[in-house]
Amino acid sequence: MNFENILVEQANALATITINRPKKLNALNKATIEELHNAFKILEEDTTVKVIIIIGSGEKAFVAGADISEFAHFSVKEGGMLAKKGQEILFDFVENLSTPVIAAINGFALGGGLELAMACHFRLASDNAKMGLPEVSLGVIPGYGGTQRLPQLVGKGKAMELIMTAGMISAEEAKEAGLVNHVTSQEELLPLAEKIASKIMRNSSVAISAAIKSVNDNFKDGVNGFESEITEFGNCFGTEDFKEGTTAFLEKRKPEFPGK
């Protein structure tokens, strides 16, 4: 896969996407959003890929925000379309992937950068990371799902404070608030992500996909998450992974899941 703004590496069942715009602190412009969509789509369709890690290039930023110069002149209609298309092709797209996506936040994750990290299935951060949604300081609000996902992760009150003050929080504060799962050094961030990914890859990719859908459905309007869980639980009984997992358990050996 050849892209201008991102790098994609694959080692066995693990794929790593690096947002590679270091001079712009990896800011999300239209082209980068399109490339990320295409990369995630290709990796999702590759059945050999079991986990995806996304990280920013360099040591300063995961993604320092959106490229403001691209939309500073937009009209009301254009602004609405910007948010709608972005959510559809990247942020909602990532959240609903059946392949687990880990965000490795290696520096600033602001605005669209934090929104991208929140769309991932969970987050790790280096101890130098800073996170925030500063959009109201520009006279606008988060438009890539920030007003929805941040309250889900940290609670309504904390989300309101972060959004209204346009402030940044440290990695440790983010961990305390439940925004990130782990904090480690810059040097150990990617190895930690890879270690967690290796644990995920030992398990049934079919079951993990079902679990992602069930968890996500709990946060969707008009969808009963408990009903989704019942359906997905039942569907698992018809998979080869279920047969292998239960057989391996009864035979007291490690399972070798076919991913079907």
Side-chain angles (χ1 to χ4, degrees):
M1 286 179 272
N2 295 317
F3 299 100
E4 290 186 9
N5 300 296
I6 65 174
L7 305 171
V8 180
E9 297 176 276
Q10 188 174 340
N12 299 317
L14 176 64
T16 302
I17 298 175
T18 303
I19 302 170
N20 190 34
R21 301 185 74 213
K23 292 182 179 179
K24 295 285 187 178
L25 293 179
N26 304 322
L28 293 177
N29 59 0
K30 182 180 178 181
T32 304
I33 288 174
E34 291 277 1
E35 287 189 2
L36 285 168
H37 167 78
N38 292 332
F40 277 115
K41 188 172 187 293
I42 291 168
L43 294 172
E44 171 79 346
E45 293 171 352
D46 186 342
T47 56
T48 66
V49 175
K50 304 301 182 186
V51 181
I52 302 168
I53 296 170
I54 183 165
I55 192 169
S57 63
E59 298 182 351
K60 292 183 178 180
F62 172 71
V63 173
D67 196 331
I68 297 167
S69 63
E70 283 194 338
F71 58 80
H73 61 285
F74 274 16
S75 66
V76 171
K77 183 177 180 179
E78 288 172 321
M81 287 304 298
L82 177 73
K84 180 178 174 62
K85 184 177 181 182
Q87 289 191 29
E88 286 177 354
I89 71 169
L90 183 58
F91 301 86
D92 291 351
F93 188 77
V94 169
E95 181 177 71
N96 291 298
L97 287 181
S98 62
T99 306
V101 183
I102 303 171
I105 304 172
N106 58 310
F108 289 109
L110 305 175
L114 181 56
E115 288 172 304
L116 176 57
M118 290 192 293
C120 299
H121 297 118
F122 60 92
R123 290 143 294 283
L124 318 176
S126 57
D127 49 21
N128 68 313
K130 299 285 186 181
M131 286 156 259
L133 296 175
E135 285 88 345
V136 296
S137 67
L138 300 173
V140 69
I141 70 169
Y144 288 144
T147 64
Q148 305 305 299
R149 292 189 179 96
L150 188 61
Q152 292 173 6
L153 291 165
V154 305
K156 181 180 178 181
K158 186 66 175 176
M160 285 287 199
E161 179 186 351
L162 288 171
I163 291 168
M164 289 191 284
T165 62
M168 292 187 292
I169 59 173
S170 68
E172 283 296 337
E173 289 173 313
K175 182 183 176 184
E176 290 175 8
L179 184 53
V180 303
N181 292 26
H182 303 279
V183 176
T184 187
S185 66
Q186 180 83 236
E187 296 75 20
E188 290 299 316
L189 180 62
L190 197 53
L192 175 60
E194 291 170 349
K195 180 180 179 181
I196 295 173
S198 70
K199 293 181 179 180
I200 294 171
M201 290 186 288
R202 295 174 196 159
N203 302 313
S204 163
S205 59
V206 176
I208 287 170
S209 174
I212 289 171
K213 185 179 186 306
S214 295
V215 172
N216 282 344
D217 280 353
N218 181 57
F219 296 96
K220 293 180 179 178
D221 290 338
V223 180
N224 186 317
F226 289 99
E227 290 295 331
S228 293
E229 182 182 276
I230 291 167
T231 300
E232 294 300 325
F233 178 79
N235 288 342
C236 287
F237 282 71
T239 68
E240 292 182 29
D241 277 11
F242 174 75
K243 293 175 184 177
E244 168 61 14
T246 52
T247 300
F249 177 82
L250 294 172
E251 294 178 354
K252 296 181 180 180
R253 61 175 174 80
K254 291 184 179 180
E256 294 182 8
F257 292 111
K260 299 178 182 179

